[in-house]
Amino acid sequence: MKMAILSDIHASEYPVAIPTRKGEWGLHLVRRALARITRWIKPDVILVLGDVNNDGNSGNIHHLDAIRDELDATGIPFISVPGNHDQQPADHYRHMPDHRPYRDVAGVRFAVFCDPEAPGYCATRLPAQMDAMRCLRHDGFSGPIAMLQHVPVLPERGHFNPYVYTNLPEVLACMREMRIGLALGGHYHPGVMPMTMEGMVFAAAPALCEMPFSFLELDWDGTSASCRRHTLAMPTEFGLVDTHVHTHFAYCNENMEPARMAELSSMMGLSGFVFAEHSSHLLFSCDTIRTGYEHGVAARVPAHCRMDAYFETIRPLCAPNILPGLEMDIDFSGQPFIRPEDLSRIRFALAAVHQIPNPDYAKTNPAAFAEDVYHLSEAACRSGRFQALAHPLRTFDWRK
């Protein structure tokens, strides 16, 4: 059983009171995490272990609906548990699927517990919930059981988590009695990697809302677990620079906001980045770009040109580590989409092959397709105008 475990997103419309919690980026962080989860991890289930919202009582809960929609779109089963920052369980589950008291996924029973808060941001498992634990095998289920809650259930020693259950000995005794082999929570933002006690495994997922924006990938066979902590941020010591950053001027953009990119770049551990908008998108309207590839920049309609607006937008955002640039498309004659007067406005130039004269060759004549891509790429490289060739192999995905 492979699980992806997210917790403590603290999604908010505005920056939250604790600056280290990037709740205003919550939905964005979820999207990034789910992109990695669906593409590379491919788990059997996604677990969201509380504090989806930063303030569930504020009435501003559209983030909860948006995050649910993102989870739905993965096509992977998911289970959500509310946290102390979320709405009360009844209200939380009007927006998230309610899988109480449990959901069976791929032979594992996931038991869901919504325990009330106790002083010190701790929790108590009430008698009714203790009874629910004792009923987890009432139907004769003999497979492995994982227990989900926001405040983590952990052994009394061997970690630094200060948030505990006031009746922890009773909870642990019931786990032994019911052969519950895995307890997962969140709440403690640094997280706790898996610990084992008496054959039971315990872990707490780190907070997605705090650098380095982490979540867990956990494999559990019913008795033992292996775990990997994924981080969305890059190690700052690498000194990485992203030379290929688009804006809302791209016809293919989704939520690209130039004014927020400096903050996002820093959050993700980058040393800097380059604004590199498609030159073809700035010189041609969406429905006339093909004309540009066929006849060059001279075929543009001046009224469609947005090049000046692009540079006016990014100019106040640039800095020594944030450079103005362009991703210059290559037309079918091997020339870049660029006006001579714009060359002095950029500090970094990418070349890119986005179209070829005979697009059907991608499927009907692979050799001719490869020759076209190679010819245009070589023309760009030989021109000496560019610092890099963007995604040189991506065009071969067109053959699929």
Side-chain angles (χ1 to χ4, degrees), residues 18 72 74 90 113 125 140-141 169 199 220 223 231 237 279 311 325 353 362 380:
I18 301 174
D72 272 333
T74 68
F113 291 93
R125 184 145 297 171
F141 181 77
W220 183 52
T223 55
T231 60
E237 58 268 27
S279 61
F311 283 111
V353 175

Side-chain angles (χ1 to χ4, degrees), residues 85-338:
H85 280 260
D86 291 313
Q87 295 175 294
Q88 291 299 308
D91 295 319
H92 176 85
Y93 286 124
R94 276 198 277 269
H95 301 272
M96 286 284 191
D98 187 352
H99 296 299
R100 297 174 294 176
Y102 58 77
R103 181 181 184 181
D104 295 341
V105 179
V108 174
R109 176 158 292 180
F110 291 91
V112 177
F113 291 93
C114 306
D115 300 303
E117 189 174 5
Y121 305 106
C122 294
T124 298
R125 184 145 297 171
L126 299 177
Q129 295 299 298
M130 295 301 304
D131 290 341
M133 287 182 69
R134 297 185 182 95
C135 289
L136 286 172
R137 296 193 184 275
H138 72 290
D139 59 350
F141 181 77
S142 59
I145 297 178
M147 188 171 73
L148 312 179
Q149 51 275 307
H150 179 58
V151 174
V153 173
L154 298 169
E156 294 184 30
R157 298 179 179 84
H159 56 83
F160 296 101
N161 167 54
Y163 311 118
V164 299
Y165 273 76
T166 58
N167 56 337
L168 180 62
E170 182 184 7
V171 174
L172 293 175
C174 193
M175 286 184 66
R176 296 186 194 96
E177 176 188 352
M178 302 311 300
R179 306 189 310 283
I180 298 173
L182 178 64
L184 298 172
H187 192 52
Y188 177 53
H189 284 201
V192 177
M193 293 297 278
M195 308 171 60
T196 301
M197 183 187 75
E198 300 176 27
M200 298 179 290
V201 179
F202 306 83
L208 188 67
C209 70
E210 294 190 9
M211 290 186 71
F213 313 112
S214 303
F215 64 92
L216 298 184
E217 172 190 352
L218 188 140
D219 282 281
W220 183 52
D221 63 6
T223 55
S224 61
S226 62
C227 188
R228 178 182 178 186
R229 180 172 175 144
H230 291 261
T231 60
L232 299 181
M234 304 294 180
T236 55
E237 58 268 27
F238 287 2
L240 297 174
V241 176
D242 187 345
T243 62
H244 194 158
V245 175
H246 287 289
T247 70
H248 61 287
F249 286 93
Y251 295 129
C252 53
N253 97 89
E254 293 181 13
N255 55 59
M256 302 297 289
E257 301 176 44
R260 302 185 74 192
M261 288 178 184
E263 181 183 4
L264 180 61
S265 169
S266 177
M267 285 169 50
M268 293 295 110
L270 297 178
S271 294
F273 67 91
V274 176
F275 286 111
E277 195 51 85
H278 295 286
S279 61
S280 63
H281 293 205
L282 299 171
L283 292 170
F284 289 84
S285 65
C286 186
D287 58 353
T288 62
I289 287 178
R290 182 75 183 183
T291 301
Y293 281 103
E294 294 171 346
H295 302 290
V297 172
R300 73 187 186 279
V301 176
H304 294 163
C305 181
R306 301 181 298 157
M307 191 71 77
D308 292 342
Y310 166 68
F311 283 111
E312 288 170 7
T313 298
I314 66 171
R315 184 183 300 114
L317 305 173
C318 290
N321 66 329
I322 303 174
L323 303 182
L326 286 169
E327 181 183 10
M328 296 189 206
D329 302 82
I330 305 301
D331 69 25
F332 296 156
S333 69
Q335 296 300 309
F337 279 66
I338 189 68

Side-chain angles (χ1 to χ4, degrees), residues 290 332 353-378 391-400:
R290 182 75 183 183
F332 296 156
V353 175
H354 287 115
Q355 293 194 29
I356 62 172
N358 298 288
D360 291 342
Y361 281 178
K363 294 183 173 64
T364 63
N365 192 338
F369 169 78
E371 181 63 29
D372 280 347
V373 172
Y374 177 80
H375 167 73
L376 295 175
S377 299
E378 182 183 37
H391 43 68
L393 301 180
R394 193 179 74 178
T395 49
F396 290 92
D397 285 341
W398 301 346
R399 296 179 300 177
K400 296 179 180 179

